[in-house]
């Protein structure tokens, strides 16, 4: 490893020391706040302020299957090391060095044709990747995935995800209470929204670890379309995200929401577009120049400031969105001229396929069917 604040790709033997090849920037003392999505960051800052919150639930870890999972991976998966999957071990150590994660988490390769990776655990995080993912991605793409999981570990997502899932399981047991189901659905919906934002955070960590945007894009593209890279194009893939956002009318906006609600991860094209957008931001450039919040300042992070940043992020997303529903919300919030009088008409036009023919804008609605239709 170098002392100049840079990290590298690949390894060459020099005497008894393994010296990395491609120079890659390192981020000493980096706080996870540097790369976290504002909505993810606000939740984590608030949770970290609750003294003893995670400690209590770590003490209750015996109620969770964590110890069983550790034994299961140890007995029925391959633990990554210098002797097994050494190239993954190098990636893991490099990612931890770049993001300055002091303790390298255990990593396992599990036999599963489905491409997947996860970071779990209360006492300490465990990273698991499937054989399907290892076989699908090339070295640089895999490096971004390993960095993604190290980002989860640095943010503490594994701890807080497990805690909130535990709380959700408790809440499910009291769902018989009047309005209990509605309350549970609200909790689960909010939890999944945070999960999705935490995935965007981890994607950013993966980019910081790999420092190869095209490789990150390719990895997401392969997860969506399989190992047919010669048949795919990153720019065309990103264009899909734009078409998805702007497509259709209000009916499609509602369908998008319904499709997204049960998911723990954002759609793959959306993840790619969000990562590219962040890579072009001033925040990313400042981070790469060495200007970022340090871990030593986490205890002083302001909850109110974090929530304001989260609210501002959502507001900006609404303002810049091309989605028909978001544009309508933005117009309402902005008090667009003449909107109040035309709001009903805009909604009826947006849901035209559900509501039937729209009456003429001026004058009373006619009882005469349009030509070609029967009464």
């Amino acid at each position: 490893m170098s002392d100049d604040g840079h990290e590298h790709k690949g390894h060459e033997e020099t005497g008894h020391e393994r010296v990395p090849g491609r120079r890659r920037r390192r981020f000493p003392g980096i706080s996870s706040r540097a790369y976290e999505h504002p909505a993810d960051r606000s939740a984590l800052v608030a949770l970290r302020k609750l003294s003893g919150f995670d400690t209590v639930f770590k003490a209750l870890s015996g109620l969770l299957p964590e110890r069983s999972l550790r034994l299961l991976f140890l007995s029925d998966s391959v633990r990554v090391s210098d002797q097994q999957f050494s190239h993954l071990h190098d990636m893991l150590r490099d990612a931890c060095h770049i993001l300055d994660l002091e303790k390298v988490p255990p990593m396992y390769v599990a036999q599963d044709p489905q491409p997947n990776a996860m970071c779990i655990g209360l006492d300490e995080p465990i990273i698991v990747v499937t054989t399907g993912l290892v076989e699908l991605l090339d070295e640089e793409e895999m490096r971004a995935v390993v960095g993604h999981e190290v980002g989860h570990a640095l943010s503490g997502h594994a701890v807080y995800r497990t805690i909130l899932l535990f709380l959700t399981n408790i809440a499910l047991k009291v769902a018989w209470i009047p309005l209990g189901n509605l309350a549970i659905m609200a909790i689960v919906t909010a939890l999944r929204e945070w999960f999705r934002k935490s995935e965007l955070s981890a994607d950013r960590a993966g980019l910081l670890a790999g420092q190869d945007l095209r490789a990150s894009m390719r990895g997401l593209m392969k997860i969506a379309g399989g190992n047919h890279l010669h048949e795919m194009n990153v720019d065309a893939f990103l264009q899909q995200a734009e078409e998805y956002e702007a497509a259709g009318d209000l009916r499609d906006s509602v369908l998008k929401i319904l499709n997204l609600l049960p998911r723990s991860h954002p759609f793959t094209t959306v993840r790619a577009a969000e990562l590219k957008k962040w890579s072009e931001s001033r925040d990313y450039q400042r981070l790469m120049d060495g200007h970022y919040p340090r871990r030593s300042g986490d205890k002083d992070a302001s909850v109110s400031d974090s929530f304001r940043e989260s609210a501002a992020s959502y507001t900006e997303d609404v303002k810049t969105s091309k989605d028909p529903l978001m544009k309508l919300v933005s117009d309402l919030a902005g008090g667009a001229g003449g909107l109040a009088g035309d709001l009903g008409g805009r909604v009826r036009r947006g849901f035209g396929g559900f509501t039937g023919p729209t009456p003429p804008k001026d004058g009373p609605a006619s009882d005469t069917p349009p030509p070609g239709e029967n009464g």
Side-chain angles (χ1 to χ4, degrees), residues 221-240:
M221 192 166 59
K222 282 185 176 180
I223 290 172
N227 194 14
H228 303 281
L229 198 58
H230 64 288
E231 297 284 357
M232 296 185 283
N233 178 277
V234 170
D235 294 328
F237 188 65
L238 291 170
Q239 180 62 33
Q240 287 183 226

Side-chain angles (χ1 to χ4, degrees), residues 257-273:
I257 294 172
L258 294 177
N259 286 338
L260 185 62
L261 283 178
R263 294 176 59 94
S264 61
H265 286 57
F267 294 115
T268 318
T269 58
V270 175
R271 289 173 63 183

Side-chain angles (χ1 to χ4, degrees), residues 128-283:
V128 181
V129 297
T130 65
T131 51
L133 189 69
V134 175
E135 293 163 3
L136 176 66
L137 304 182
D138 67 24
E139 180 179 350
E140 289 302 294
E141 295 157 6
M142 194 68 199
R143 190 179 294 275
V145 169
V146 172
H148 174 111
E149 300 306 326
V150 169
H152 277 314
L154 182 58
S155 288
H157 287 150
V159 173
Y160 295 120
R161 283 182 171 201
T162 307
I163 289 171
L164 289 178
L165 285 172
F166 181 64
L167 291 175
T168 303
N169 288 334
I170 291 177
L172 286 171
K173 296 178 181 179
V174 297
W176 56 270
I177 297 175
L179 300 180
N181 284 335
L182 291 177
I184 296 303
M185 286 306 300
I187 293 173
V188 171
T189 299
L191 184 59
R192 284 175 177 157
E193 170 63 10
W194 177 40
F195 278 15
R196 290 190 290 269
K197 293 301 186 285
S198 74
E199 289 301 320
L200 298 181
S201 298
D203 284 344
R204 297 175 178 183
L207 177 58
L208 293 180
Q211 296 174 28
D212 185 340
L213 179 62
R214 301 296 285 189
S216 294
M217 296 288 106
R218 291 197 312 269
L220 289 169
M221 192 166 59
K222 282 185 176 180
I223 290 172
N227 194 14
H228 303 281
L229 198 58
H230 64 288
E231 297 284 357
M232 296 185 283
N233 178 277
V234 170
D235 294 328
F237 188 65
L238 291 170
Q239 180 62 33
Q240 287 183 226
E242 293 185 16
E243 292 180 16
Y244 168 77
E245 182 183 7
D249 52 25
L250 294 180
R251 292 169 296 172
D252 296 291
S253 297
V254 172
L255 292 174
K256 290 180 203 174
I257 294 172
L258 294 177
N259 286 338
L260 185 62
L261 283 178
R263 294 176 59 94
S264 61
H265 286 57
F267 294 115
T268 318
T269 58
V270 175
R271 289 173 63 183
E274 286 287 337
L275 185 59
K276 184 173 186 295
K277 178 181 176 182
W278 184 68
S279 73
E280 297 169 347
S281 69
R282 184 171 178 269
D283 288 342

